[in-house]
Amino acid sequence: MSPRIVLATAERILRQLRRDRRSIAMILVVPPVLMALMKYVFDGQGGAFQRVGPPLLGLFPLTIMFLVTSIAMLRERTTGTLERLMSMPIAKLDLLLGYGLAFAILAAIQATVTSVVGFQLLGLEAQHPAWVIVLLAVGNAILGMSLGL
């Protein structure tokens, strides 16, 4: 394992994702929009959003990160990029850690944005402090990312 190769792989993935508007929208826009939809679905049901909202803050990032990383790895395989990378002096662990680092950064950003929208804009309240829920949402997003890889 080489830290230089891992960082270069992560940088390549982040550069690649920066140009992919669909993936960025799926990562950063879809979970907050889903939270807003759930707020309005449960609007007339007396506190239902307050009960359902905190678990959804963990569920949406987990699901979205799983989908995005699965699709990214599948795209690498179908375009032949993965085979070209494996012909270079890069270990499988370097490749997975590079992907993991890049998507972990995006997962943390996604969970934080979704939590800020939930707590600040949608008025979500929880029994526990907000930072605990945000930390769990980040952990769930990273779990979804690792399952997708």
Side-chain angles (χ1 to χ4, degrees):
M1 185 185 92
S2 168
R4 184 180 59 82
I5 293 175
V6 169
L7 291 174
T9 303
E11 181 185 355
R12 180 185 67 85
I13 297 304
L14 289 173
R15 250 187 288 118
Q16 202 173 13
L17 281 172
R18 187 180 62 196
R19 291 188 302 260
D20 187 6
R21 290 189 178 116
R22 292 175 298 179
S23 294
I24 294 297
M26 184 119 170
I27 292 170
L28 297 178
V29 176
V30 169
V33 167
L34 287 173
M35 286 297 294
L37 284 173
M38 289 296 124
K39 163 107 173 130
Y40 294 112
V41 165
F42 293 117
D43 195 26
Q45 297 180 4
F49 181 68
Q50 301 302 330
R51 288 188 310 272
V52 174
L56 289 179
L57 277 177
L59 183 66
F60 289 151
L62 178 126
T63 307
I64 299 296
M65 287 311 294
F66 173 75
L67 289 173
V68 168
T69 53
S70 305
I71 291 168
M73 286 305 281
L74 181 65
R75 189 182 313 154
E76 294 285 344
R77 280 198 99 162
T78 57
T79 59
T81 308
L82 197 56
E83 285 77 17
R84 287 193 299 267
L85 284 172
M86 296 315 290
S87 67
M88 298 174 65
I90 183 172
K92 290 179 186 177
L93 185 61
D94 290 332
L95 183 70
L96 283 175
L97 288 177
Y99 267 90
L101 179 62
F103 280 113
I105 291 168
L106 290 173
I109 293 170
Q110 176 199 44
T112 304
V113 167
T114 305
S115 298
V116 165
V117 167
F119 286 113
Q120 298 296 321
L121 298 179
L122 300 177
L124 183 64
E125 296 174 2
Q127 293 175 338
H128 302 289
W131 67 269
V132 172
I133 307 264
V134 172
L135 191 63
L136 287 171
V138 169
N140 280 343
I142 291 173
L143 174 66
M145 177 264 319
S146 61
L147 291 172
L149 288 178

